[in-house]
Amino acid sequence: MASIYLRGKVWWYCEYNPATKKNDRRPLRYPDGRPVRNRRDALYFKAQKDQERRQRDGVALDGSLTFARALELYTDFSRLRKTPRTFRTDGYRFRKLQERLGTLKVHQLTARTIDDTLNALQGDLSFGHTTRNHYLHLLKAFGSWCVEHGYLFQNPARTLRPIKTPRLPASCGQSPSARLASPAPPSKANSGLRHRRGTCPPASD
């Protein structure tokens, strides 16, 4: 939804505008008009603007924020940061997560809850470890966004690790007879043919 960044020597405030579907960027300034150059002051002004935005959006930090509402805010935040195809794919996965965690409060998210939810989705939808890792990556990004905007004190998915999927060689799926029958790739070292640039190889008899 909002972030700060250093441009030159001045801190800028960037906020997504749902009306224009674009990011509004403006430099942070003190009440007397001077630009903010100190990071600590920039964080202070950002916290004030975030509080104003939460009041405008009807979000209170009293423990009533649900996963579904936070996910809706995060979706608006990530809309301009992803390609349309990636956004559609992530939207499908977020809908599946919302079916499981929609009514849960954001502060109730734990690593155990996330791991159990991913295991249940993997069993119901019958997807592999790679897709499960994609779900985990989305939840990690969502948790980091919640921490950045003050909805959580720490990312609940930070301790979860993706499942490593070993990559098998292409010949592992073939039978022993098929591997013996398949021709070996030509060896460039033993071909004995060296051609100059612009010349054609000698014709074979």
Side-chain angles (χ1 to χ4, degrees):
M1 293 290 292
S3 60
I4 57 174
Y5 62 94
L6 186 63
R7 183 177 179 181
K9 295 183 178 181
V10 179
W11 285 93
W12 285 61
Y13 183 80
C14 178
E15 181 181 11
Y16 176 75
N17 190 344
T20 60
K21 296 183 179 180
K22 295 182 179 180
N23 288 328
D24 293 339
R25 297 179 174 87
R26 54 188 179 275
L28 290 174
R29 297 185 181 277
Y30 293 102
D32 58 0
R34 293 181 295 112
V36 176
R37 302 176 184 271
N38 188 300
R39 182 176 182 273
R40 183 170 57 183
D41 293 344
L43 292 174
Y44 172 77
F45 284 113
K46 178 182 180 298
Q48 286 186 336
K49 292 183 177 296
D50 289 345
Q51 180 65 23
E52 296 173 359
R53 188 190 69 253
R54 283 192 290 265
Q55 293 177 355
R56 185 176 65 248
D57 296 339
V59 177
L61 297 181
D62 55 359
S64 62
L65 181 63
T66 61
F67 178 83
R69 175 57 177 159
L71 191 60
E72 179 182 351
L73 297 174
Y74 176 72
T75 302
D76 292 338
F77 170 78
S78 61
R79 188 182 301 274
L80 295 180
R81 289 164 174 78
K82 297 181 179 180
T83 62
R85 181 178 179 181
T86 303
F87 185 78
R88 287 193 301 269
T89 304
D90 292 350
Y92 167 79
R93 292 169 180 165
F94 275 136
R95 285 193 297 272
K96 293 300 180 181
L97 291 171
Q98 188 171 352
E99 294 174 0
R100 302 269 179 175
L101 305 172
T103 58
L104 192 70
K105 306 299 182 183
V106 170
H107 70 274
Q108 294 176 339
L109 283 175
T110 61
R112 180 64 179 272
T113 305
I114 294 174
D115 191 54
D116 292 344
T117 302
L118 294 180
N119 291 335
L121 282 175
Q122 190 173 10
D124 294 345
L125 302 180
S126 300
F127 52 72
H129 293 329
T130 302
T131 304
R132 187 185 189 279
N133 292 338
H134 288 166
Y135 275 92
L136 179 59
H137 175 73
L138 289 177
L139 287 172
K140 281 178 176 288
F142 170 76
S144 298
W145 176 85
C146 288
V147 173
E148 180 182 354
H149 290 78
Y151 302 140
L152 289 174
F153 290 107
Q154 59 184 5
N155 190 346
R158 71 190 188 283
T159 59
L160 298 177
R161 296 291 180 266
I163 299 177
K164 295 184 179 180
T165 55
R167 182 172 297 180
L168 300 177
S171 60
C172 289
Q174 300 179 356
S175 61
S177 58
R179 289 199 299 268
L180 292 175
S182 59
S187 176
K188 295 182 180 180
N190 299 328
S191 62
L193 298 178
R194 296 180 62 185
H195 310 300
R196 297 180 180 179
R197 182 178 299 178
T199 61
C200 298
S204 59
D205 297 335

